[in-house]
Amino acid sequence: MSSKLAVVTVTYSPGEHLEHFLGTLGDATTENPQVILADNGSVDGAPEAAAAAHEHVRLLRTGGNIGYGGAINRAVAEIDEDIEFVLVVNPDVRWSPGSIDELLAAAERWPRAGALGPMVREPDGSVYPSARQVPDLISGAGHAVLGSVWPSNPWSLRYRQETETITERPAGWLSGSCLLLRRAAFDSVDGFDSRYFMYMEDVDLGDRLGKAGWLNVYVPSAEVTHAKGHAAGRHPELMLPAHHQSAYRFQADRHPLWWQAPLRWALRGGLALRSKLAVAAAVRARREYERHEIEIEGKA
């Protein structure tokens, strides 16, 4: 096993994604890292099969679905403290050759980098905006309200930073889908905030790392492809409310004063309404898709 790097991923019935993840890992680095599967209650047998098939893969059962950040914290606690870097990554990521070594090399160039993230591509090859500005209340609200109906609004553009030059640079936060963490930095801020069950835990971590004096560095010379939300996409009625609850927690934590209470109430109410509308739209789209599939099968 590598004395420099460990890899942690959270599994929740990851299916075939996990074998693709492990199959491309060997081409991503010359290191030989231990891989810990922090399993939040899979029922498809994929994590067990992976651990049995790969000597360097360890299955760690968390005891239930304790959320993404909580599971990562649980796994990192199992890693030898002498290991300098922990790569936190979703199991539906596929690695480009040399991508992990690119991140490790960038970590040497940026000794104050607490977190480093690669260029994340969608399955169709397009670039996902994975290095963003930490949202303040105004930009966050503007993006939340207008992002889906007016994607080019100024608040979304500023938050997503899609117009930034694609170059190695510090960012406000980096996507938790693939994140190389310096262990000393991660420990200095007590890891992920486990109150975030899912979503926004990476925004919160990046913000706290920045406030603690560390950098979040975007490294586009390292590339991965992310299938995006294999678990979340199956249950929008559960995951969309979780997303909105996390968005509320993030802003409420940063506006805790008594005189800011009306602002928190307005934020809670607005996000609750938006969550209901988003769930209704997602459920409706899923039903239409299922109806369409049934019609196709009927004609076959």
Side-chain angles (χ1 to χ4, degrees), residues 115 172-173 179 181 185-186 189-193 200-210 216 250 254:
W173 66 277
L179 200 56
L181 297 167
F186 188 71
V189 297
D190 297 322
F192 283 106
D193 185 338
M200 299 291 291
E201 71 285 322
D202 46 5
V203 187
D204 173 77
L205 178 67
D207 186 38
R208 289 188 290 115
L209 284 171
N216 298 279
F250 180 83
R254 286 152 179 81

mmCIF file of all heavy atoms in Angstrom, residues 115 172-173 179 181 185-186 189-193 200-210 216 250 254:
data_model
loop_
_atom_site.group_PDB
_atom_site.id
_atom_site.type_symbol
_atom_site.label_atom_id
_atom_site.label_comp_id
_atom_site.label_asym_id
_atom_site.label_seq_id
_atom_site.Cartn_x
_atom_site.Cartn_y
_atom_site.Cartn_z
ATOM 1 N N ALA A 115 -7.118 21.493 -0.291
ATOM 2 C CA ALA A 115 -7.921 20.660 -1.179
ATOM 3 C C ALA A 115 -7.560 20.996 -2.617
ATOM 4 O O ALA A 115 -7.329 22.155 -2.960
ATOM 5 C CB ALA A 115 -9.416 20.913 -0.942
ATOM 6 N N GLY A 172 -13.120 29.240 -4.526
ATOM 7 C CA GLY A 172 -13.787 29.296 -3.231
ATOM 8 C C GLY A 172 -14.047 27.917 -2.655
ATOM 9 O O GLY A 172 -13.868 27.673 -1.466
ATOM 10 N N TRP A 173 -14.493 27.003 -3.530
ATOM 11 C CA TRP A 173 -14.702 25.607 -3.124
ATOM 12 C C TRP A 173 -14.642 24.726 -4.360
ATOM 13 O O TRP A 173 -14.750 25.207 -5.490
ATOM 14 C CB TRP A 173 -16.022 25.421 -2.389
ATOM 15 C CG TRP A 173 -17.260 25.657 -3.221
ATOM 16 C CD1 TRP A 173 -17.843 26.858 -3.496
ATOM 17 C CD2 TRP A 173 -18.055 24.672 -3.889
ATOM 18 N NE1 TRP A 173 -18.939 26.690 -4.298
ATOM 19 C CE2 TRP A 173 -19.113 25.359 -4.549
ATOM 20 C CE3 TRP A 173 -17.992 23.281 -3.989
ATOM 21 C CZ2 TRP A 173 -20.086 24.701 -5.294
ATOM 22 C CZ3 TRP A 173 -18.964 22.618 -4.745
ATOM 23 C CH2 TRP A 173 -20.000 23.325 -5.374
ATOM 24 N N LEU A 179 -11.903 14.941 -4.848
ATOM 25 C CA LEU A 179 -11.231 15.965 -4.056
ATOM 26 C C LEU A 179 -10.015 15.356 -3.366
ATOM 27 O O LEU A 179 -10.143 14.440 -2.550
ATOM 28 C CB LEU A 179 -12.216 16.478 -3.011
ATOM 29 C CG LEU A 179 -11.999 17.834 -2.351
ATOM 30 C CD1 LEU A 179 -11.902 18.936 -3.387
ATOM 31 C CD2 LEU A 179 -13.148 18.114 -1.386
ATOM 32 N N LEU A 181 -7.434 15.753 -0.627
ATOM 33 C CA LEU A 181 -7.349 16.506 0.619
ATOM 34 C C LEU A 181 -6.011 16.264 1.294
ATOM 35 O O LEU A 181 -5.570 15.119 1.432
ATOM 36 C CB LEU A 181 -8.471 16.091 1.568
ATOM 37 C CG LEU A 181 -9.892 16.383 1.084
ATOM 38 C CD1 LEU A 181 -10.912 15.641 1.940
ATOM 39 C CD2 LEU A 181 -10.171 17.878 1.113
ATOM 40 N N ALA A 185 -4.782 19.480 6.629
ATOM 41 C CA ALA A 185 -5.812 20.508 6.456
ATOM 42 C C ALA A 185 -7.176 19.969 6.850
ATOM 43 O O ALA A 185 -7.962 20.639 7.539
ATOM 44 C CB ALA A 185 -5.820 20.985 5.004
ATOM 45 N N PHE A 186 -7.483 18.767 6.392
ATOM 46 C CA PHE A 186 -8.773 18.136 6.700
ATOM 47 C C PHE A 186 -8.967 18.003 8.204
ATOM 48 O O PHE A 186 -10.024 18.336 8.748
ATOM 49 C CB PHE A 186 -8.835 16.772 6.026
ATOM 50 C CG PHE A 186 -10.168 16.090 6.089
ATOM 51 C CD1 PHE A 186 -11.240 16.555 5.343
ATOM 52 C CD2 PHE A 186 -10.347 14.967 6.878
ATOM 53 C CE1 PHE A 186 -12.475 15.913 5.383
ATOM 54 C CE2 PHE A 186 -11.566 14.312 6.935
ATOM 55 C CZ PHE A 186 -12.638 14.786 6.185
ATOM 56 N N VAL A 189 -9.731 21.313 10.339
ATOM 57 C CA VAL A 189 -11.094 21.862 10.369
ATOM 58 C C VAL A 189 -12.109 20.801 10.798
ATOM 59 O O VAL A 189 -13.319 20.956 10.622
ATOM 60 C CB VAL A 189 -11.485 22.460 9.001
ATOM 61 C CG1 VAL A 189 -10.592 23.639 8.651
ATOM 62 C CG2 VAL A 189 -11.467 21.415 7.889
ATOM 63 N N ASP A 190 -11.603 19.698 11.372
ATOM 64 C CA ASP A 190 -12.450 18.606 11.866
ATOM 65 C C ASP A 190 -13.275 17.944 10.771
ATOM 66 O O ASP A 190 -14.403 17.475 11.012
ATOM 67 C CB ASP A 190 -13.374 19.097 12.994
ATOM 68 C CG ASP A 190 -12.594 19.579 14.216
ATOM 69 O OD1 ASP A 190 -11.558 18.947 14.530
ATOM 70 O OD2 ASP A 190 -12.991 20.577 14.828
ATOM 71 N N GLY A 191 -12.722 17.890 9.565
ATOM 72 C CA GLY A 191 -13.356 17.132 8.493
ATOM 73 C C GLY A 191 -14.660 17.729 8.006
ATOM 74 O O GLY A 191 -14.931 18.925 8.155
ATOM 75 N N PHE A 192 -15.471 16.873 7.394
ATOM 76 C CA PHE A 192 -16.780 17.305 6.923
ATOM 77 C C PHE A 192 -17.711 17.542 8.102
ATOM 78 O O PHE A 192 -17.590 16.896 9.153
ATOM 79 C CB PHE A 192 -17.400 16.249 6.001
ATOM 80 C CG PHE A 192 -16.828 16.220 4.615
ATOM 81 C CD1 PHE A 192 -15.977 15.190 4.225
ATOM 82 C CD2 PHE A 192 -17.140 17.200 3.694
ATOM 83 C CE1 PHE A 192 -15.453 15.153 2.944
ATOM 84 C CE2 PHE A 192 -16.622 17.178 2.410
ATOM 85 C CZ PHE A 192 -15.769 16.148 2.036
ATOM 86 N N ASP A 193 -18.643 18.456 7.924
ATOM 87 C CA ASP A 193 -19.691 18.683 8.913
ATOM 88 C C ASP A 193 -20.769 17.638 8.667
ATOM 89 O O ASP A 193 -21.503 17.698 7.673
ATOM 90 C CB ASP A 193 -20.260 20.093 8.753
ATOM 91 C CG ASP A 193 -21.269 20.451 9.831
ATOM 92 O OD1 ASP A 193 -21.852 19.531 10.437
ATOM 93 O OD2 ASP A 193 -21.494 21.657 10.054
ATOM 94 N N MET A 200 -23.915 20.162 -0.410
ATOM 95 C CA MET A 200 -23.361 21.352 0.238
ATOM 96 C C MET A 200 -22.254 21.054 1.243
ATOM 97 O O MET A 200 -21.630 21.976 1.754
ATOM 98 C CB MET A 200 -24.454 22.192 0.930
ATOM 99 C CG MET A 200 -25.523 22.730 -0.005
ATOM 100 S SD MET A 200 -24.927 24.007 -1.136
ATOM 101 C CE MET A 200 -24.618 25.379 -0.032
ATOM 102 N N GLU A 201 -22.001 19.779 1.538
ATOM 103 C CA GLU A 201 -20.921 19.484 2.478
ATOM 104 C C GLU A 201 -19.575 19.892 1.890
ATOM 105 O O GLU A 201 -18.664 20.278 2.629
ATOM 106 C CB GLU A 201 -20.914 18.000 2.882
ATOM 107 C CG GLU A 201 -20.487 17.015 1.814
ATOM 108 C CD GLU A 201 -21.555 16.775 0.765
ATOM 109 O OE1 GLU A 201 -22.744 16.727 1.126
ATOM 110 O OE2 GLU A 201 -21.195 16.641 -0.428
ATOM 111 N N ASP A 202 -19.462 19.843 0.546
ATOM 112 C CA ASP A 202 -18.207 20.267 -0.091
ATOM 113 C C ASP A 202 -18.075 21.789 -0.096
ATOM 114 O O ASP A 202 -16.974 22.327 0.054
ATOM 115 C CB ASP A 202 -18.075 19.699 -1.502
ATOM 116 C CG ASP A 202 -19.335 19.834 -2.351
ATOM 117 O OD1 ASP A 202 -20.316 20.460 -1.899
ATOM 118 O OD2 ASP A 202 -19.340 19.304 -3.483
ATOM 119 N N VAL A 203 -19.197 22.497 -0.262
ATOM 120 C CA VAL A 203 -19.168 23.959 -0.192
ATOM 121 C C VAL A 203 -18.742 24.398 1.209
ATOM 122 O O VAL A 203 -17.887 25.261 1.381
ATOM 123 C CB VAL A 203 -20.548 24.562 -0.533
ATOM 124 C CG1 VAL A 203 -20.450 26.081 -0.633
ATOM 125 C CG2 VAL A 203 -21.099 23.978 -1.826
ATOM 126 N N ASP A 204 -19.359 23.783 2.197
ATOM 127 C CA ASP A 204 -19.048 24.103 3.591
ATOM 128 C C ASP A 204 -17.587 23.808 3.911
ATOM 129 O O ASP A 204 -16.897 24.622 4.551
ATOM 130 C CB ASP A 204 -19.973 23.304 4.516
ATOM 131 C CG ASP A 204 -19.609 23.451 5.976
ATOM 132 O OD1 ASP A 204 -19.930 24.503 6.561
ATOM 133 O OD2 ASP A 204 -18.984 22.524 6.529
ATOM 134 N N LEU A 205 -17.086 22.653 3.461
ATOM 135 C CA LEU A 205 -15.692 22.298 3.730
ATOM 136 C C LEU A 205 -14.744 23.292 3.071
ATOM 137 O O LEU A 205 -13.795 23.771 3.699
ATOM 138 C CB LEU A 205 -15.399 20.888 3.224
ATOM 139 C CG LEU A 205 -13.951 20.421 3.403
ATOM 140 C CD1 LEU A 205 -13.617 20.253 4.885
ATOM 141 C CD2 LEU A 205 -13.691 19.121 2.646
ATOM 142 N N GLY A 206 -14.993 23.620 1.802
ATOM 143 C CA GLY A 206 -14.126 24.572 1.107
ATOM 144 C C GLY A 206 -14.111 25.930 1.783
ATOM 145 O O GLY A 206 -13.053 26.568 1.910
ATOM 146 N N ASP A 207 -15.273 26.378 2.238
ATOM 147 C CA ASP A 207 -15.365 27.665 2.922
ATOM 148 C C ASP A 207 -14.581 27.648 4.231
ATOM 149 O O ASP A 207 -13.828 28.580 4.541
ATOM 150 C CB ASP A 207 -16.838 27.985 3.183
ATOM 151 C CG ASP A 207 -17.042 29.374 3.753
ATOM 152 O OD1 ASP A 207 -16.325 30.310 3.340
ATOM 153 O OD2 ASP A 207 -17.931 29.535 4.618
ATOM 154 N N ARG A 208 -14.726 26.570 4.998
ATOM 155 C CA ARG A 208 -14.016 26.486 6.278
ATOM 156 C C ARG A 208 -12.513 26.328 6.080
ATOM 157 O O ARG A 208 -11.723 26.862 6.860
ATOM 158 C CB ARG A 208 -14.583 25.335 7.117
ATOM 159 C CG ARG A 208 -15.983 25.630 7.655
ATOM 160 C CD ARG A 208 -16.472 24.574 8.636
ATOM 161 N NE ARG A 208 -16.751 23.311 7.993
ATOM 162 C CZ ARG A 208 -16.089 22.177 8.213
ATOM 163 N NH1 ARG A 208 -15.060 22.155 9.058
ATOM 164 N NH2 ARG A 208 -16.421 21.058 7.588
ATOM 165 N N LEU A 209 -12.101 25.595 5.050
ATOM 166 C CA LEU A 209 -10.667 25.505 4.753
ATOM 167 C C LEU A 209 -10.102 26.875 4.420
ATOM 168 O O LEU A 209 -9.025 27.260 4.894
ATOM 169 C CB LEU A 209 -10.429 24.544 3.579
ATOM 170 C CG LEU A 209 -10.531 23.047 3.870
ATOM 171 C CD1 LEU A 209 -10.490 22.255 2.574
ATOM 172 C CD2 LEU A 209 -9.410 22.586 4.803
ATOM 173 N N GLY A 210 -10.834 27.639 3.608
ATOM 174 C CA GLY A 210 -10.379 28.982 3.243
ATOM 175 C C GLY A 210 -10.264 29.889 4.446
ATOM 176 O O GLY A 210 -9.285 30.640 4.583
ATOM 177 N N ASN A 216 -8.113 26.212 -1.788
ATOM 178 C CA ASN A 216 -8.802 25.215 -2.600
ATOM 179 C C ASN A 216 -8.334 25.444 -4.042
ATOM 180 O O ASN A 216 -8.633 26.486 -4.626
ATOM 181 C CB ASN A 216 -10.318 25.394 -2.506
ATOM 182 C CG ASN A 216 -10.837 25.201 -1.100
ATOM 183 O OD1 ASN A 216 -11.026 24.081 -0.646
ATOM 184 N ND2 ASN A 216 -11.069 26.311 -0.387
ATOM 185 N N PHE A 250 -26.409 25.934 5.326
ATOM 186 C CA PHE A 250 -25.182 26.648 4.996
ATOM 187 C C PHE A 250 -25.334 28.141 5.279
ATOM 188 O O PHE A 250 -24.482 28.760 5.933
ATOM 189 C CB PHE A 250 -24.822 26.421 3.525
ATOM 190 C CG PHE A 250 -23.557 27.123 3.098
ATOM 191 C CD1 PHE A 250 -22.318 26.546 3.330
ATOM 192 C CD2 PHE A 250 -23.609 28.357 2.469
ATOM 193 C CE1 PHE A 250 -21.151 27.193 2.949
ATOM 194 C CE2 PHE A 250 -22.445 29.011 2.084
ATOM 195 C CZ PHE A 250 -21.212 28.424 2.328
ATOM 196 N N ARG A 254 -24.156 30.845 8.715
ATOM 197 C CA ARG A 254 -23.352 32.043 8.476
ATOM 198 C C ARG A 254 -24.119 33.327 8.767
ATOM 199 O O ARG A 254 -23.566 34.422 8.611
ATOM 200 C CB ARG A 254 -22.828 32.009 7.030
ATOM 201 C CG ARG A 254 -21.700 30.971 6.897
ATOM 202 C CD ARG A 254 -21.586 30.377 5.519
ATOM 203 N NE ARG A 254 -20.464 29.412 5.485
ATOM 204 C CZ ARG A 254 -20.563 28.153 5.930
ATOM 205 N NH1 ARG A 254 -21.704 27.699 6.427
ATOM 206 N NH2 ARG A 254 -19.515 27.340 5.878
#
